[in-house]
Amino acid sequence: MSSEIDKLSDRINRRHFLSRTSLGLGAAGLASLLNPRLLFGNNADPALSSPHITPKAKRVIYLFQSGGPAQHDMFDYKPRLEEMHGQDLPPSVLGDQRLTGMTANQTSLPLAGSHYKFRRHGKSGAWLSELLPYTGGIADDLCFVKSVHTEEINHDPAVTFLQTGNARAGNPSMGSWISYGLGSENENLPAFSVMISRGKGDAQPLSTRMWGSGFLPSQHQGVQYRSGSDPVLYLNNPSGVDKMDRRRMLNQIKELNLLHMFESGDHEIQSEIAKHEMAYRMQTSVPETMDVSGEPDWVYDLYGEDSRTPGTYAANCILARRLAERDVRFIQLYHMGWDQHGNIPLHLPMQCKDVDQASAALVRDLKQRGLLDDTLVVWGGEFGRTSYGQGQLSAENYGRDHHPRCFTVWLAGGGIKPGITFGQSDEFGYNIEKDPVHVHDLQATLLHLLGIDHEKLTYRHQGRRFRLTDVHGEVVNKILA
């Protein structure tokens, strides 16, 4: 290491660096204390100097249900499936659509009526199953979109597509695009925060690239918070190192990085400096944010008993509200366990119990604190599940395969029209009958509510300009308040 520094010093000495830049490191240090953006320039500033349009939301909480929730047992009531339970899906409905390898070789595709009772809720009359009583209680605050669709039929590419706008790995995640475009309103916390919980059902693995920054500057990647005494890995100082030691070390590293950046012209070094400084500030801000010991009992009662257990979905919902209060721009909760290919009557009730009360409580909590108006809450998975059964089928036991053709997502707050249902599937719940919403349309709408024209937020990489929605996407104006 010392030899490399010596070589660098031979090529550009300190006095030459200071004279060339007209900015002494002392002045740089003062600037970073007064305003870190002055030191890091455009790489720390948002890409947009001002929103393209008037924003209706300041932040997003995305409650991502990984694995594909079974919409026919939760949101999309289809009496026809009950009437024809056990009969084959008509070939005219199936068409020539591609199926997964798990059901493509089944000799029949028997329709599976839901095991659960549905009823209408609220003034809006939204249909919800008995598995979601708490969600039913906030039905008039929600917009149910029952016509979301995607091309991907397997978990990893489908999650990647929804999170990054591309089924292939390597593109920036939605939260990274928003961090890049709008920056942060809290310089002491990352603009993009991630939390993961696991339900009791079958869980597909999640890759960290789902919240990665791809080809954007790395400071825009999501920061994962964990339960326990060390919510961000390696954030705490090791034994024997105090805050002043850490500050001196960072100053020295910053000096070397600035020298190297001036010599090499590598502007990713700016991101590294910014991340070091953010980590230093997070040593104070993260413990305070993650400390829920001061939350009153009524909050735990609202979110449910699980909320007292760190790492659960309910506990993460409380943390999401605390991050929203601190103006974190994009808050992503992943809840795993929705991959119910078999025995839905056993597994789905447990999965719904994990999320129903806490999801509804988050909307209620944000509303009573005056935060829902400018916080967009999104709930949904990477695709839905089939109206036909997978494997053995009976009235008491059935599973469902992946279904990208139409599935349900609900949204609340942040400029969304409340108390409506948008889009409609056919009587078999298999194809879209009215108002299709592609994943790119959903992404374009989220950006629009934050004040971003999805066609104008771009980044040049490998000779072309990229964007979250690629060359697709239309804002779904009919669901906007």
Side-chain angles (χ1 to χ4, degrees):
M1 175 67 179
S2 60
S3 62
E4 293 298 319
I5 294 175
D6 291 341
K7 291 178 184 178
L8 182 59
S9 298
D10 289 339
R11 298 179 65 181
I12 175 170
N13 61 40
R14 180 183 177 88
R15 179 172 296 176
H16 180 62
F17 169 71
L18 295 178
S19 63
R20 287 286 302 273
T21 60
S22 300
L23 176 66
L25 288 176
L30 177 61
S32 69
L33 290 173
L34 295 175
N35 184 352
R37 295 180 187 272
L38 296 179
L39 177 59
F40 304 123
N42 292 334
N43 220 26
D45 283 328
L48 306 182
S49 57
S50 61
H52 298 127
I53 49 183
T54 302
K56 295 184 178 180
K58 292 172 61 178
R59 65 195 74 84
V60 175
I61 301 177
Y62 203 125
L63 307 174
F64 189 78
Q65 312 302 316
S66 178
Q71 76 276 17
H72 299 309
D73 298 289
M74 301 169 66
F75 305 108
D76 202 7
Y77 180 43
K78 296 298 173 185
R80 185 73 162 164
L81 298 183
E82 296 178 20
E83 296 170 8
M84 295 183 63
H85 185 85
Q87 300 180 44
D88 273 2
L89 177 72
S92 60
V93 176
L94 176 64
D96 59 356
Q97 294 169 20
R98 186 167 56 118
L99 305 181
T100 76
M102 290 168 284
T103 53
N105 296 321
Q106 282 190 192
T107 56
S108 65
L109 298 175
L111 294 169
S114 178
H115 186 72
Y116 305 101
K117 302 297 182 184
F118 279 73
R119 69 178 181 88
R120 293 183 179 274
H121 291 265
K123 294 180 181 179
S124 63
W127 285 100
L128 288 163
S129 90
E130 59 187 312
L131 294 176
L132 302 170
Y134 290 95
T135 303
I138 60 164
D140 289 342
D141 292 310
L142 305 182
C143 167
F144 296 94
V145 182
K146 296 186 176 181
S147 55
V148 184
H149 63 102
T150 181
E151 287 80 36
E152 304 307 321
I153 63 172
N154 290 310
H155 294 287
D156 188 85
V159 177
T160 305
F161 185 66
L162 198 145
Q163 296 296 307
T164 72
N166 195 305
R168 295 184 298 276
N171 278 36
S173 59
M174 193 186 312
S176 295
W177 276 111
I178 291 169
S179 171
Y180 167 71
L182 298 178
S184 176
E185 290 197 315
N186 185 334
E187 66 177 20
N188 296 319
L189 287 169
F192 180 14
S193 298
V194 176
M195 288 173 279
I196 300 174
S197 56
R198 180 165 182 159
K200 300 176 182 66
D202 293 331
Q204 292 292 323
L206 285 171
S207 169
T208 56
R209 73 168 181 272
M210 302 306 177
W211 51 92
S213 57
F215 45 72
L216 293 178
S218 58
Q219 71 195 70
H220 300 296
Q221 68 186 16
V223 173
Q224 183 181 346
Y225 295 97
R226 295 166 168 83
S227 59
S229 59
D230 196 12
V232 177
L233 293 180
Y234 313 115
L235 186 64
N236 294 329
N237 291 325
S239 178
V241 176
D242 62 23
K243 193 172 181 68
M244 290 306 298
D245 292 331
R246 176 67 69 184
R247 181 68 266 169
R248 285 191 292 268
M249 182 196 75
L250 288 176
N251 288 343
Q252 291 296 315
I253 292 174
K254 184 191 299 183
E255 183 173 332
L256 293 173
N257 278 331
L258 287 170
L259 286 166
H260 186 50
M261 183 181 71
F262 183 78
E263 191 271 344
S264 67
D266 182 2
H267 291 286
E268 178 60 20
I269 295 172
Q270 288 179 298
S271 285
E272 291 303 309
I273 296 172
K275 287 191 292 184
H276 291 167
E277 294 298 325
M278 173 61 77
Y280 180 73
R281 297 193 297 274
M282 285 168 63
Q283 288 186 315
T284 299
S285 61
V286 167
E288 183 273 331
T289 302
M290 299 291 116
D291 181 7
V292 295
S293 60
E295 293 286 344
D297 286 341
W298 69 262
V299 168
Y300 294 110
D301 293 339
L302 178 65
Y303 284 82
E305 189 60 32
D306 281 354
S307 65
R308 297 182 183 273
T309 304
T312 62
Y313 177 84
N316 287 348
C317 281
I318 293 179
L319 293 176
R321 186 263 293 162
R322 291 176 64 86
L323 289 167
E325 287 178 308
R326 289 156 178 79
D327 286 324
V328 171
R329 183 74 71 180
F330 195 89
I331 304 155
Q332 181 99 54
L333 271 61
Y334 290 92
H335 188 62
M336 306 162 70
W338 291 97
D339 195 23
Q340 282 108 23
H341 288 274
N343 209 344
I344 280 179
L346 174 65
H347 296 293
L348 187 60
M350 295 188 293
Q351 195 73 6
C352 289
K353 187 175 184 296
D354 282 342
V355 306
D356 178 40
Q357 182 174 356
S359 300
L362 178 60
V363 173
R364 290 184 184 277
D365 203 4
L366 291 169
K367 187 175 182 178
Q368 68 188 5
R369 295 171 191 267
L371 289 168
L372 187 60
D373 286 345
D374 58 7
T375 302
L376 175 62
V377 183
V378 186
W379 191 106
E382 67 269 34
F383 42 52
R385 306 203 82 84
T386 55
S387 53
Y388 60 79
Q390 179 177 339
Q392 295 296 318
L393 178 67
S394 71
E396 299 300 323
N397 188 5
Y398 59 96
R400 300 188 189 274
D401 199 5
H402 309 163
H403 190 63
R405 297 293 299 173
C406 56
F407 59 102
T408 300
V409 170
W410 64 250
L411 306 94
I416 289 293
K417 190 180 296 183
I420 67 166
T421 294
F422 183 80
Q424 182 178 316
S425 61
D426 62 24
E427 62 179 342
F428 298 98
Y430 198 84
N431 293 303
I432 294 172
E433 196 169 77
K434 182 181 178 183
D435 295 323
V437 176
H438 190 268
V439 163
H440 283 315
D441 301 333
L442 182 65
Q443 293 163 339
T445 304
L446 264 62
L447 294 182
H448 176 87
L449 290 167
L450 290 165
I452 300 172
D453 182 334
H454 71 105
E455 295 183 350
K456 295 180 180 178
L457 180 62
T458 63
Y459 189 87
R460 190 169 183 83
H461 174 66
Q462 294 184 340
R464 64 161 284 194
R465 293 191 178 277
F466 286 82
R467 68 186 206 220
L468 173 63
T469 53
D470 194 31
V471 295
H472 308 284
E474 298 287 341
V475 174
V476 189
N477 288 300
K478 290 182 180 180
I479 69 172
L480 305 184

